[in-house]
């Protein structure tokens, strides 16, 4: 089936198109990107301009002359089909964003998918098709793939981590590629994870440096509560704890004072052992001490090998920077001649 393009786009300056009426749309906030029909909506952000990010990526590729190779080799009126090909197993992500990019280059391109964002693909699978002007397909190709490969890599690891972490929820962190935070966090949602705070503005997160500067965890919490009350802000508050003593101090403060605290981070309470295993006894003690009074979040020494054991301790959330800071892209291609691509892929063992 053909899926509707989720927003009205401008035409990319280096695309080959017939004259048409173009309506510009502001995407200054993600809530304005009109994603009601998407399988997984992108996270909300008050200032992030997703359309501008796409345009920057296209401009980065086109430079001041456009695609000189396409201009030299592809007839301007040539129509063709190009197929998306998975070159390894994984979770696909970025389908909705790919549609937006194709629409930005040439709104007349028709995109058909055989899978949805979040579906598993296997090596050698043709999972989608784009039809239309060959020149415009090719100039959009690399930008589309760059986003999809990165997002699919994030979604694939997130899915593995989320399944292993159950019943705890897996979270990413702010360790994202500069300028691509919303895209990275969107991929985490597609992979079955949940989002941590988007930035510095949507959650108070009292970490070690704040605690040191404030003179202790109790004083830091008191300062935050006073700030929120004075500024009439209702916002989630998380505090980092590194020892059982700090957990006790937080609980003591909360038992005596009205507080906006919602979550306690239990940082580096997972201790790696010399045999490759982990000791989670401190983490379990902290979770039992908190006893459901606040959500809990385990952080530190979280890997695909350790996350299951951490998830069995009773923590609410497990955060892992590795979901986004060490992305292994999923190998995907977009080929006009799919049969030849498959032949080459079999020869190189990449399809």
């Amino acid at each position: 089936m053909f899926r509707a393009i989720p927003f009205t786009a401008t035409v990319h300056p280096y695309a080959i198109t017939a004259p048409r009426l173009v309506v510009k749309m502001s995407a200054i906030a993600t809530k304005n990107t009109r994603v009601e029909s998407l399988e997984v909506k992108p996270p909300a952000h008050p200032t992030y301009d997703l359309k501008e990010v796409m345009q920057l990526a296209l401009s980065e590729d086109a430079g001041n002359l456009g695609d000189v190779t396409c201009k030299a080799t592809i007839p301007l009126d040539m129509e063709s089909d190009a197929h998306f090909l998975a070159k390894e197993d994984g979770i696909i992500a970025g389908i909705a964003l790919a549609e937006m990019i194709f629409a930005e280059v040439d709104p007349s391109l028709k995109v058909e998918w055989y899978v949805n964002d979040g579906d598993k693909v296997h090596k050698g699978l043709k999972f989608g098709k784009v039809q239309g002007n060959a020149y415009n397909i090719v100039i959009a190709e690399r930008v589309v793939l760059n986003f999809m490969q990165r997002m699919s890599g994030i979604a694939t690891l997130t899915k593995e981590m989320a399944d292993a972490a159950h019943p705890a929820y897996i979270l990413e962190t702010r360790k994202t590629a500069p300028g691509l935070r919303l895209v990275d966090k969107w991929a985490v949602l597609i992979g079955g994870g949940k989002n941590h705070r988007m930035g510095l503005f949507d959650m108070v997160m009292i970490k070690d440096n704040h605690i040191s500067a404030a003179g202790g965890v109790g004083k830091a919490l008191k300062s935050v509560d006073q700030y929120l009350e004075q500024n009439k802000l209702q916002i989630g508050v998380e505090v980092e704890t590194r020892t059982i003593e700090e957990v006790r101090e937080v609980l003591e403060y909360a038992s005596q004072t009205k507080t906006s605290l919602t979550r306690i981070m239990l940082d580096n309470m997972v201790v790696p052992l010399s045999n490759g295993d982990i000791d989670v006894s401190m983490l379990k003690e902290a979770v039992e001490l908190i006893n459901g009074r606040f959500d809990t979040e385990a952080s530190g020494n979280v890997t695909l090998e350790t996350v299951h054991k951490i998830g069995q301790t009773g923590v609410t959330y497990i955060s892992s920077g590795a979901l986004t800071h060490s992305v292994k892209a999923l190998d995907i291609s977009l080929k006009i001649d799919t049969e030849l691509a498959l032949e080459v892929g079999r020869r190189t063992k990449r399809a």
Side-chain angles (χ1 to χ4, degrees), residues 6 29-45 48 50 96-97 100 117 151 181-187 189-190 195 198:
T30 54
K31 64 184 179 182
N32 291 334
T33 53
R34 292 181 56 204
V35 292
E36 297 90 334
S37 63
L38 303 188
E39 296 294 325
V40 180
K41 296 180 182 181
H45 193 288
Y48 193 96
L50 183 57
L97 185 56
M100 295 178 194
D117 272 328
M151 290 182 71
R181 179 168 298 168
L182 185 140
V183 175
D184 284 358
K185 285 178 174 281
W186 190 1
L189 293 179
I190 291 170
N195 289 150
M198 180 60 67

Side-chain angles (χ1 to χ4, degrees), residues 43-45 171-176 181 185 194-207 210 235-236 238 240 263 265 297 319:
H45 193 288
L171 306 171
E172 84 296 83
T173 68
R174 288 192 300 125
K175 297 175 183 177
T176 53
R181 179 168 298 168
K185 285 178 174 281
K194 291 186 177 294
N195 289 150
H196 210 303
R197 60 176 178 163
M198 180 60 67
L200 301 174
F201 59 92
D202 57 334
M203 173 187 261
V204 174
M205 191 165 173
I206 310 168
K207 300 194 73 175
H210 307 112
I235 191 170
E238 179 171 8
E240 177 182 298
R263 188 187 306 175
M265 177 186 286
E297 177 187 331
S319 56

Side-chain angles (χ1 to χ4, degrees), residues 125-136:
L125 179 70
K126 290 190 284 186
F127 64 88
K129 178 173 68 175
V130 57
Q131 299 173 293
N133 183 273
Y135 176 97
N136 291 338

Side-chain angles (χ1 to χ4, degrees), residues 108-147:
S108 72
L109 295 176
K110 296 177 180 178
V111 189
E112 184 179 4
W113 302 100
Y114 317 133
V115 297
N116 295 315
D117 272 328
D119 284 351
K120 185 173 179 59
V121 295
H122 61 79
K123 184 177 178 179
L125 179 70
K126 290 190 284 186
F127 64 88
K129 178 173 68 175
V130 57
Q131 299 173 293
N133 183 273
Y135 176 97
N136 291 338
I137 290 172
V138 175
I139 67 169
E141 171 200 355
R142 177 44 51 196
V143 173
V144 165
L145 290 177
N146 282 349
F147 279 113

Side-chain angles (χ1 to χ4, degrees), residues 11-235:
V11 180
H12 190 254
Y14 298 108
I16 302 300
T17 59
R20 65 179 71 241
L21 177 65
V22 177
V23 180
K24 287 192 174 183
M25 191 210 86
S26 170
I28 292 297
T30 54
K31 64 184 179 182
N32 291 334
T33 53
R34 292 181 56 204
V35 292
E36 297 90 334
S37 63
L38 303 188
E39 296 294 325
V40 180
K41 296 180 182 181
H45 193 288
T47 60
Y48 193 96
D49 190 337
L50 183 57
K51 184 174 179 181
E52 187 175 88
V53 171
M54 293 187 298
Q55 289 174 335
L56 179 61
L58 289 164
S59 177
E60 178 180 61
D61 232 10
N64 64 332
L65 294 177
D67 190 334
V68 292
T69 312
C70 278
K71 288 178 178 180
T73 60
I74 300 178
L76 299 184
D77 59 351
M78 180 181 177
E79 299 282 311
S80 66
D81 296 353
H83 291 264
F84 284 93
L85 181 65
K87 293 187 173 179
E88 59 183 320
D89 298 349
I91 302 299
I92 205 70
I95 281 176
L97 185 56
E99 288 184 356
M100 295 178 194
I101 295 167
F102 282 125
E104 183 70 21
V105 171
D106 179 358
S108 72
L109 295 176
K110 296 177 180 178
V111 189
E112 184 179 4
W113 302 100
Y114 317 133
V115 297
N116 295 315
D117 272 328
D119 284 351
K120 185 173 179 59
V121 295
H122 61 79
K123 184 177 178 179
L125 179 70
K126 290 190 284 186
F127 64 88
K129 178 173 68 175
V130 57
Q131 299 173 293
N133 183 273
Y135 176 97
N136 291 338
I137 290 172
V138 175
I139 67 169
E141 171 200 355
R142 177 44 51 196
V143 173
V144 165
L145 290 177
N146 282 349
F147 279 113
M148 288 192 73
Q149 288 180 301
R150 180 179 177 85
M151 290 182 71
S152 296
I154 292 170
T156 298
L157 179 57
T158 300
K159 174 64 174 171
E160 291 180 293
M161 295 275 270
D163 287 350
H166 184 79
Y169 298 107
I170 196 76
L171 306 171
E172 84 296 83
T173 68
R174 288 192 300 125
K175 297 175 183 177
T176 53
L180 294 181
R181 179 168 298 168
L182 185 140
V183 175
D184 284 358
K185 285 178 174 281
W186 190 1
V188 167
L189 293 179
I190 291 170
K194 291 186 177 294
N195 289 150
H196 210 303
R197 60 176 178 163
M198 180 60 67
L200 301 174
F201 59 92
D202 57 334
M203 173 187 261
V204 174
M205 191 165 173
I206 310 168
K207 300 194 73 175
D208 50 359
N209 286 336
H210 307 112
I211 291 167
S212 297
V217 67
K219 291 181 178 178
L221 272 168
K222 183 177 181 180
S223 294
V224 165
D225 283 330
Q226 289 174 345
Y227 175 85
L228 295 179
E229 184 177 1
Q230 289 166 3
N231 290 276
K232 296 181 172 54
L233 290 174
Q234 291 186 332
I235 191 170

